[in-house]
Amino acid sequence: MARQKFIAGNWKMNTTKAVAVELAKGIAKAAPAGVATGIAPPFVYLDAVAQAISGSGVLLGAQDVYFEKSGAFTGEISVDMLKDLGVKFVLAGHSERRHVLMESSELTAKKADAIYAGGLILIHCVGEKLEERDGNQTLEVVQAQLNELTAKMDDPDRLVIAYEPVWAIGTGRTATDAQAQEVHAFIRQAIAKMWNPDFADRVRIQYGGSMKPDNAKGLLGQPDVDGGLIGGAALKADSFLAIVNAGL
Ligand code: 13P
């Protein structure tokens, strides 16, 4: 069955409030129907961005969350707090959280579980480091990260996998169309085994890692590439929208 493409912008620790609002408005104004489009600003701008995109079809996302419901967790943000602001999707296991903030696989698994259980769209990020690719461990690493998904999931529209090879993030070095397709097909097979083939057929698998307007069409044209998770190119409305439009 045809899967609607899903292009999400991960703004990471960038923008100011004014820039965030302007960027969000520019995207909301021109995002085409026919491609699911989302933006994940820094936590502190979620409310302002929610207002800026209100009434458009653009989905509001968060870059992270804590898994507990509430309580003494200084500095953390819960799923319910995000829902309160209109957040529809949340990332878990982004490579920067795994490798820069040193979050464990156990913590990632708990976050993923909380996002899905809270009724939100989970974007579960997986991907190998350069030395793992060079050591032919890519599929093994990706499988181990998929194994973090232990919760019972029955809504394929709320599970998205983002394949983001660490060596391609922010480096300008993109996976080739064939490299992306190979891992995406593996991910879909793995999901079919973990759940069932019908479920796997409906789950969207995004590619992330230096996706730009000039390489988006090729990547998005692969049979198992159902969208993109965009970093640098999501910080300008025109480049982000060019990628979104490549998904039509
Ligand atoms: P870049 O598009 O800047 O490589 O970032 C990708 C990414 O990490 C999105 O989550």
Side-chain angles (χ1 to χ4, degrees):
M1 67 166 282
R3 294 174 292 267
Q4 189 188 44
K5 298 266 195 289
F6 180 13
I7 310 288
N10 172 11
W11 295 0
K12 308 191 181 183
M13 198 172 76
N14 292 299
T15 70
T16 61
K17 187 172 174 183
V19 167
V21 167
E22 197 191 355
L23 179 56
K25 281 187 179 157
I27 291 165
K29 206 168 56 191
V35 177
T37 304
I39 50 179
F43 282 136
V44 289
Y45 305 140
L46 278 170
D47 206 13
V49 167
Q51 290 170 41
I53 62 174
S54 148
S56 78
V58 175
L59 301 170
L60 185 64
Q63 300 172 21
D64 186 31
V65 71
Y66 195 58
F67 64 87
E68 294 283 4
K69 280 227 134 318
S70 64
F73 304 102
T74 301
E76 295 298 326
I77 309 277
S78 72
V79 168
D80 285 346
M81 290 171 182
L82 296 177
K83 285 166 73 172
D84 210 8
L85 293 182
V87 165
K88 301 287 186 243
F89 71 91
V90 187
L91 312 186
H94 191 277
S95 97
E96 286 139 25
R97 302 242 40 114
R98 293 180 189 271
H99 305 304
V100 181
L101 284 307
M102 305 310 283
E103 290 191 356
S104 67
S105 187
E106 290 71 24
L107 180 57
T108 302
K110 286 182 180 163
K111 290 183 175 188
D113 198 2
I115 295 163
Y116 185 84
L120 296 174
I121 298 170
L122 161 65
I123 301 187
H124 189 71
C125 307
V126 302
E128 80 289 0
K129 294 190 271 191
L130 186 58
E131 61 266 31
E132 292 164 340
R133 173 157 286 264
D134 290 344
N136 281 323
Q137 294 169 304
T138 298
L139 302 184
E140 194 182 312
V141 168
V142 167
Q143 180 68 64
Q145 292 166 333
L146 290 174
N147 290 344
E148 292 162 348
L149 300 171
T150 52
K152 186 178 172 323
M153 294 186 188
D154 47 16
D155 183 354
D157 294 337
R158 290 200 297 108
L159 174 62
V160 176
I161 308 295
Y163 170 56
E164 299 203 292
V166 180
W167 48 271
I169 297 178
T171 58
R173 193 178 153 193
T174 318
T176 63
D177 298 348
Q179 282 174 324
Q181 171 55 27
E182 183 198 5
V183 181
H184 281 231
F186 171 80
I187 291 170
R188 199 173 307 284
Q189 279 163 24
I191 291 175
K193 284 187 200 140
M194 292 165 75
W195 280 273
N196 62 67
D198 288 343
F199 183 84
D201 197 37
R202 293 185 53 191
V203 165
R204 283 166 300 177
I205 308 174
Q206 296 173 325
Y207 169 81
S210 300
M211 197 190 258
K212 310 276 180 213
D214 60 0
N215 60 29
K217 198 101 203 157
L219 287 159
L220 294 170
Q222 300 304 304
D224 289 294
V225 178
D226 309 311
L229 187 54
I230 321 299
L235 294 171
K236 290 268 181 285
D238 56 356
S239 54
F240 182 65
L241 287 164
I243 297 173
V244 172
N245 282 304
L248 279 174

